[in-house]
Amino acid sequence: MGKYIAKRLLQSFFVLFGLSLLIFFIARVVPGDPARAALGNLATKEQVERLRTEMHLDKPFFIQYYYWLIAVLHGDLGKSLYTQRPVTQDLLQFLPATLELMLFATLISLVVGQIMGLLSGYFRNSWFDGLFRVISYVGVATPPFVIAILLLFVFSQLLHLAPGVGRLPLGMAEPPRVTGFLFIDSLLAGRLDVTLMALKHMLLPAISLAIAHIAQEGRITRSSLIDVLQKDYILAHQVCGIRPTKLIFKYLLRPSIIPTVTVMGMDFAFLLSNAFLVEVVFMWPGFSRYAVTAMLSKDLNAIVAVVLVIGITVALVNLLVDLTIAFLDPTVRIRRGG
Amino acid sequence: MTNRYKAITAGWKARLKALSRAWYRFSRNPLHVVGLVVLLLISLAAGLAPYITPYPEHAGPYTNFREAGLPPSKAHWFGTDRVGRDVFTRVIFGYRFSLLLGIVVLALSTPPGVILGLIAGYYSGTWIETVIMRVTDIFLAVPPLVLALAVAAMLTPNLFNAMLAISISWWPWYSRLIYGMTLSLREQYFVRELELTGASKPHILLREILPNCLGPLLTKLTLDMGFAILMGATLSFVGLGAQPPTPCLGTMVAEGAKRLPSEWWSTIFPALAIVVVILAFNLVGDGLRDVFAEEEV
Amino acid sequence: MEKKTESLVHVQGLSVGFRVFEGLLKVLQELSLQIRPGERVGLVGETRCGKTTTMKSILRVLPQPPAVLFGGEVLYRGKDVLKMSRRAIYQLRRSSIAAIFQDPLQALNPVFTVGTQLTDIVRDWAAGTGKKMSRKEIFQRCVEALAQTGMPDPERIMTCYPIQLSGGMRQRVCIAAALVRPIELLLADEPTTNLDVTIQDQILRKLDELVEERGMSILLITHSLGVVMDRTERVYIMYAGSIVEEGQTKEIFANPLHPYTKGLLKSAPRLTGEGISQGIPGRVPSYLDPPSGCRFHPRCEFSMPICQKERPPLLTMEESHQVACFLYQG
């Protein structure tokens, strides 16, 4: 097992290295002068030239990459041309908001999605199953930003049931920042009213993000459950007299969720990218909004850093998912010789 | 698994029979047919857009502030947007660009992806495979949307660049799919026979292995049309796609979203239009999956 | 009438069908068979003739849609299995009847170890009978059961996953799973068909041993006459959903009456150099639109006009030798 992890980590490093090279390449190859773009049209020629030398823009590609790589290994991701602050600082400010939202969305999609998928598969062709299949079909086909807009429109503006945009209502102060996670920080500061509001505000965006996953993963769980139900070993367990509750919750459940877990890794990547849009719609001060702004203003350092962070996160999550599968499904472990 | 796609390269009678059997399987679930019909209608409408829409000139630079912000009525089925353009017309024209985007993206990303996948799978065990698959992994390290956004952001925002950006992030998925299929097909007897009898590599790859991949490939292509349109809508939502005044469904949703809930029609209708076309592609894709599924006793 | 209470299992006039997309499959037709305590009975027939359906009916594990019960009863020690309460049937499965299946790989849950699966069976059986067993006792019992099936190094096997074992070993695990509790009847559905030829005999002999040791009854379901030859006292020959011949095994082999039985015997490959075996022309009929009258008549070389019109009743020829064929009527 240890060998397997080591191998995967090595693979991930290689891939991330290649990714950084790729994105760096694209960023530098693109026409336009980043130094000029950063300083604006009113800057003098000398100022632009100075910035260019500072940014190593006059040197060949690989030298530039080399400087950048050294800096990154020291934790310096460069300065954001847009915010004029170190990119690392920007990331630390905006990342927790997005992570919090994504974790909440994942929680919702896991609980709701898996339960619905399991019930659907077990009570195949019942009214519940039919309903779920319709929902999941539409859920997969609707872009999350459309869902976000619809939810915002219906529940917030039309029915006034849910709060509007932003993480907290206007005028409510944030608790002292420890982790950046409003949920944790407010609990630590003892401000339960903030906790409540933070949760309420997270509800709509999290649901917008979660629906696509409920649809997709729930479906897979459903068909996987149906598959397993037909298997001979379930029959054999029944015949051997295994108690029905144990049969369902132990012997039926585990083989059924394996295909879903496999998909979750890939789905996480999509969750991340969908967060971009949902954050825009809900004016969430998160990482994705920062990334989009960076991209729109051609903030090169920020763009490269953003892509790298996303790549690392995705690689980590994939590794986690792979390990979970290896734990759940011994056939994988055995085949991989771990 | 035998080479059951010999029928494709056989005579027209066999093809006709295969086609009618495919239709039977496709139409077993009426929803698939509904999807197909909807797609045909949309394609037709998009193709004939200038002739069938009530206000074709609204698709271009047109302003009429007297008629701006009108709710849906007999004259304007979907109402008008903030500069007075008929939303219905713009939605139909928007479909044009969406479908165009989907087709171009797939045309750009599929051939390289498929060819690379074939080569990587066939030369499995050699450095060729390692190089190709590692490169594929690099492109797959970030979600396709992020990559497309990053690339699109660095180029001038217009429709073609958007298509280019999406294609760059899309090809690796095809390469992976075809790679996997080629790996297993390579072991089949009929490939071995051909190698022994000295068939050329391009022939084996293109005329023997590829036709056997056709099933999942076609299914994926259809479903991907939906995804490509979704990505295109997303890019234009952020402002990186076709620029105004070109009607693009994503941009329309973005513009209209700013003025919710008062002028809901300028957002909701384009949004629904997006959902409908993606749903239709998904239904047809599902139908194709049924067609190519292994026969059950 | 005392025969009914004497027998362990008495299937009486069972008719079962399946509702599928294309229509209604009429599979079992008024099937009747008996198994007495300690008896070894064979059920022989081609693939798809309804043997597995019969077995599943005895255990009441046929999912009721799509299966449809048209009539008949399955009596276990006089009580109708099909009408029993749920608790009663669970009890039956735990303590009285066990089954082993054709494909041992499919019959074992791939994501749990052999040990987990076996101990759970023992645990639930103990709970059902009100016994209290410690973990160690349960473990010991499983290990013993494995050892009895001839499995080498049973303690290590307990920690293995099914895919780590060979086909023969997996089937031994299934047998152990069946025998780890004291049952009265074992239903064995093609227990060796999927195994290597070299292992088949071993497993069958081991089964024999175990059955005799415990005085159990066994219903050996197979498509091969060779398997039932020296291993059963009585045998039922089944075709397309009904019993066509039944009797003492030796008698059937010496004096087969039904044309189908004769065909089966002829098609069994012999190593005594009598040439290539001959098969029976034709295939098992479709259950959607089965042949009228006797379902075998399209393939029968002795078919008469009446065979198409009516179903032949079961006629008693000699002591316990019965056949369903118009050839022997009158």
Side-chain angles (χ1 to χ4, degrees):
Chain A
M1 190 67 137
K3 213 169 109 178
Y4 177 62
I5 298 182
K7 189 163 162 233
R8 292 281 276 107
L9 277 175
L10 197 65
Q11 250 186 340
S12 306
F13 272 127
F14 181 79
V15 167
L16 287 172
F17 179 68
L19 179 69
S20 66
L21 207 59
L22 175 71
I23 203 70
F24 199 80
F25 175 71
I26 296 181
R28 292 291 185 263
V29 143
V30 149
D33 183 3
R36 166 62 67 184
L39 292 175
N41 279 326
L42 294 175
T44 64
K45 219 165 177 224
E46 291 87 38
Q47 288 172 315
V48 174
E49 279 307 312
R50 216 179 330 133
L51 188 57
R52 292 201 77 208
T53 327
E54 218 180 276
M55 288 171 65
H56 306 289
L57 287 174
D58 47 342
K59 310 239 179 39
F61 173 74
F62 279 107
I63 310 275
Q64 291 188 37
Y65 183 73
Y66 170 74
Y67 277 115
W68 177 83
L69 195 61
I70 301 282
V72 167
L73 291 173
H74 279 110
D76 174 16
L77 286 164
K79 203 154 80 137
S80 161
L81 299 169
Y82 183 69
T83 61
Q84 293 297 315
R85 292 187 310 182
V87 171
T88 341
Q89 196 182 345
D90 283 345
L91 287 180
L92 281 174
Q93 178 172 353
F94 294 111
L95 208 46
T98 305
L99 282 178
E100 200 179 14
L101 184 61
M102 285 178 60
L103 283 173
F104 195 39
T106 310
L107 194 65
I108 296 181
S109 83
L110 269 179
V111 170
V112 175
Q114 294 310 304
I115 292 185
M116 285 184 79
L118 288 169
L119 286 176
S120 237
Y122 198 70
F123 296 108
R124 194 181 178 186
N125 294 326
S126 64
W127 63 269
F128 183 81
D129 183 24
L131 185 65
F132 175 71
R133 289 167 75 183
V134 167
I135 294 179
S136 77
Y137 219 88
V138 176
V140 162
T142 316
F145 69 87
V146 169
I147 298 181
I149 290 180
L150 284 174
L151 284 181
L152 190 63
F153 177 54
V154 171
F155 287 99
S156 175
Q157 296 167 335
L158 218 52
L159 299 174
H160 295 287
L161 277 179
V165 300
R167 279 179 100 186
L168 288 175
L170 280 173
M172 186 174 257
E174 282 192 19
R177 190 190 177 84
V178 176
T179 59
F181 283 77
L182 276 183
F183 188 73
I184 299 180
D185 289 350
S186 55
L187 281 177
L188 285 176
R191 304 261 335 259
L192 287 169
D193 53 333
V194 177
T195 320
L196 196 61
M197 282 318 258
L199 277 176
K200 267 173 119 176
H201 275 251
M202 264 204 286
L203 205 58
L204 281 186
I207 292 181
S208 315
L209 280 176
I211 287 193
H213 295 270
I214 291 178
Q216 170 80 315
E217 287 161 18
R219 240 206 224 172
I220 294 182
T221 305
R222 174 188 177 272
S223 62
S224 163
L225 191 75
I226 291 179
D227 236 8
V228 172
L229 274 173
Q230 327 255 31
K231 293 276 187 191
D232 278 348
Y233 53 79
I234 298 294
L235 186 67
H237 291 324
Q238 231 185 333
V239 160
C240 285
I242 304 247
R243 262 201 328 254
T245 37
K246 191 186 286 194
L247 184 69
I248 294 178
F249 288 106
K250 185 173 174 181
Y251 288 101
L252 192 59
L253 194 62
R254 217 201 255 196
S256 305
I257 55 177
I258 289 174
T260 315
V261 174
T262 315
V263 164
M264 278 186 189
M266 201 179 74
D267 263 2
F268 176 80
F270 282 101
L271 186 71
L272 199 48
S273 49
N274 287 330
F276 270 50
L277 308 160
V278 170
E279 284 191 9
V280 170
V281 171
F282 283 94
M283 304 233 242
W284 203 258
F287 175 68
S288 318
R289 259 226 327 180
Y290 172 71
V292 170
T293 324
M295 290 174 183
L296 287 176
S297 32
K298 294 203 199 292
D299 188 347
L300 289 171
N301 283 332
I303 294 181
V304 172
V306 158
V307 171
L308 212 55
V309 165
I310 293 181
I312 294 176
T313 320
V314 169
L316 274 175
V317 169
N318 274 334
L319 186 64
L320 203 67
V321 164
D322 272 357
L323 289 177
T324 315
I325 293 181
F327 168 69
L328 284 178
D329 184 2
T331 54
V332 163
R333 258 184 272 158
I334 290 164
R335 265 185 245 139
R336 300 239 176 109
Chain B
M1 211 198 327
T2 55
N3 190 356
R4 60 192 180 120
Y5 287 91
K6 267 278 181 257
I8 294 183
T9 39
W12 67 270
K13 261 211 191 141
R15 291 199 212 191
L16 206 60
K17 196 154 171 246
L19 216 64
S20 57
R21 200 173 341 130
W23 175 254
Y24 167 70
R25 288 211 228 167
F26 183 83
S27 50
R28 274 244 284 258
N29 185 344
L31 281 178
H32 299 154
V33 182
V34 167
L36 189 62
V37 167
V38 169
L39 266 190
L40 288 173
L41 283 176
I42 292 181
S43 315
L44 216 61
L48 299 173
Y51 307 107
I52 61 166
T53 49
Y55 306 91
E57 64 277 8
H58 288 210
Y62 173 89
T63 56
N64 184 350
F65 290 98
R66 258 181 303 138
E67 307 248 306
L70 293 177
S73 60
K74 267 243 243 358
H76 297 278
W77 291 349
F78 287 174
T80 59
D81 64 5
R82 69 185 160 127
V83 290
R85 295 175 294 200
D86 177 41
V87 174
F88 178 72
T89 309
R90 289 180 64 81
V91 163
I92 303 287
F93 272 90
Y95 269 141
R96 251 195 176 186
F97 288 105
S98 297
L99 289 176
L100 183 67
L101 181 136
I103 296 176
V104 170
V105 163
L106 291 181
L108 282 180
S109 59
T110 318
V114 167
I115 293 181
L116 284 174
L118 279 174
I119 297 178
Y122 190 72
Y123 289 104
S124 170
T126 66
W127 62 271
I128 299 181
E129 174 202 26
T130 328
V131 164
I132 296 183
M133 288 326 283
R134 288 297 147 250
V135 170
T136 313
D137 277 345
I138 290 177
F139 276 85
L140 287 175
V142 286
L145 187 63
V146 172
L147 196 58
L149 275 175
V151 172
M154 298 196 258
L155 304 165
T156 340
N158 60 41
L159 187 62
F160 181 71
N161 284 343
M163 296 197 259
L164 190 65
I166 302 179
S167 311
I168 290 183
S169 45
W170 212 249
W171 70 266
W173 301 91
Y174 283 99
S175 161
R176 261 232 185 132
L177 175 72
I178 302 292
Y179 167 70
M181 300 209 70
T182 312
L183 270 185
S184 51
L185 281 170
R186 205 172 57 115
E187 304 304 320
Q188 300 296 308
Y189 287 130
F190 72 91
V191 173
R192 294 271 183 239
E193 282 171 28
L194 289 163
E195 286 173 352
L196 287 173
T197 58
S200 71
K201 294 284 187 302
H203 172 90
I204 297 182
L205 287 179
L206 293 176
R207 300 219 46 188
E208 302 291 339
I209 297 187
L210 186 57
N212 276 290
C213 301
L214 224 44
L217 189 61
L218 274 179
T219 311
K220 181 167 170 54
L221 274 173
T222 317
L223 292 171
D224 276 356
M225 273 292 281
F227 277 126
I229 294 181
L230 196 130
M231 294 242 284
T234 312
L235 282 181
S236 53
F237 181 75
V238 175
L240 289 170
Q243 294 300 296
T246 324
C248 205
L249 293 174
T251 333
M252 290 166 76
V253 173
E255 279 176 16
K258 299 197 194 106
R259 277 151 25 261
L260 283 178
S262 47
E263 285 167 34
W264 56 270
W265 51 90
S266 48
T267 305
I268 300 294
F269 284 117
L272 286 178
I274 298 177
V275 175
V276 164
V277 72
I278 298 178
L279 247 180
F281 272 112
N282 278 12
L283 283 171
V284 173
D286 260 8
L288 282 181
R289 204 183 280 152
D290 276 355
V291 167
F292 292 108
E294 295 286 326
E295 187 79 68
E296 277 171 28
V297 174
Chain C
M1 281 301 106
E2 341 90 74
K3 249 200 174 164
K4 259 198 185 164
T5 46
E6 203 192 299
S7 63
L8 204 54
V9 174
H10 191 103
V11 176
Q12 181 85 304
L14 188 64
S15 298
V16 170
F18 289 93
R19 200 159 298 227
V20 288
F21 183 68
E22 290 84 357
L24 188 64
L25 297 176
K26 305 177 256 293
V27 181
L28 296 184
Q29 291 184 299
E30 287 168 34
L31 188 110
S32 300
L33 61 81
Q34 268 189 68
I35 307 172
R36 293 193 201 90
E39 219 188 357
R40 297 179 301 168
V41 179
L43 180 60
V44 178
E46 276 171 282
T47 340
R48 296 198 66 222
C49 75
K51 328 192 277 288
T52 314
T53 311
T54 311
M55 179 180 101
K56 288 193 183 172
S57 303
I58 297 178
L59 285 165
R60 205 172 103 180
V61 285
L62 277 184
Q64 284 283 321
V68 180
L69 182 65
F70 294 123
E73 37 181 32
V74 174
L75 303 176
Y76 189 83
R77 289 198 179 275
K79 294 210 184 64
D80 191 354
V81 163
L82 304 171
K83 296 201 178 66
M84 273 182 188
S85 73
R86 268 211 218 146
R87 290 199 72 192
I89 190 92
Y90 290 153
Q91 198 52 23
L92 207 69
R93 289 184 198 143
R94 239 175 263 149
S95 319
S96 313
I97 316 183
I100 53 182
F101 300 93
Q102 185 171 344
D103 188 353
L105 181 58
Q106 294 293 336
L108 293 170
N109 199 321
V111 299
F112 292 98
T113 58
V114 167
T116 316
Q117 299 184 53
L118 284 178
T119 51
D120 269 339
I121 295 175
V122 177
R123 208 171 284 141
D124 283 354
W125 162 74
T129 52
K131 284 169 79 134
K132 279 221 183 290
M133 289 177 83
S134 74
R135 232 197 254 175
K136 225 174 160 221
E137 285 174 334
I138 297 179
F139 187 80
Q140 263 318 105
R141 197 185 174 99
C142 298
V143 169
E144 265 166 39
L146 278 175
Q148 284 191 329
T149 64
M151 182 82 86
D153 199 0
E155 302 213 344
R156 191 185 69 89
I157 301 289
M158 291 284 279
T159 64
C160 288
Y161 287 95
I163 63 164
Q164 292 173 295
L165 307 174
S166 73
M169 285 161 91
R170 281 181 221 137
Q171 194 61 295
R172 288 185 214 260
V173 170
C174 291
I175 297 176
L179 301 179
V180 80
R181 44 216 214 275
I183 48 169
E184 298 179 315
L185 169 65
L186 178 64
L187 305 171
D189 188 0
E190 310 259 20
T192 54
T193 312
N194 276 19
L195 301 175
D196 278 343
V197 184
T198 44
I199 308 283
Q200 279 183 20
D201 199 47
Q202 267 184 47
I203 300 279
L204 284 172
R205 264 197 258 163
K206 186 50 86 170
L207 260 180
D208 253 357
E209 248 182 66
L210 292 166
V211 167
E212 205 165 313
E213 250 175 63
R214 297 171 183 226
M216 295 188 317
S217 313
I218 176 170
L219 179 66
L220 195 50
I221 303 176
T222 173
H223 63 267
S224 154
L225 277 170
V227 166
V228 298
M229 193 155 67
D230 287 321
R231 301 205 160 87
T232 54
E233 283 120 28
R234 279 193 309 126
V235 72
Y236 289 89
I237 313 284
M238 191 169 170
Y239 181 78
S242 37
I243 305 288
V244 298
E245 190 164 356
E246 61 178 85
Q248 305 272 340
T249 316
K250 291 204 190 78
E251 168 70 23
I252 304 260
F253 271 82
N255 186 17
L257 294 177
H258 197 281
Y260 179 62
T261 321
K262 293 199 202 162
L264 273 182
L265 277 169
K266 259 196 267 176
S267 56
R270 275 169 242 261
L271 292 172
T272 49
E274 283 180 28
I276 305 176
S277 57
Q278 315 163 299
I280 308 174
R283 295 161 65 190
V284 180
S286 140
Y287 290 109
L288 208 52
D289 188 15
S292 54
C294 170
R295 283 186 174 178
F296 186 60
H297 81 251
R299 295 167 81 178
C300 183
E301 46 177 334
F302 304 104
S303 135
M304 307 179 290
I306 188 175
C307 300
Q308 279 188 40
K309 297 210 204 85
E310 289 173 30
R311 277 192 61 217
L314 211 53
L315 308 159
T316 312
M317 304 304 293
E318 284 159 44
E319 169 75 41
S320 79
H321 190 161
Q322 297 182 298
V323 65
C325 184
F326 286 117
L327 278 175
Y328 302 95
Q329 194 169 47

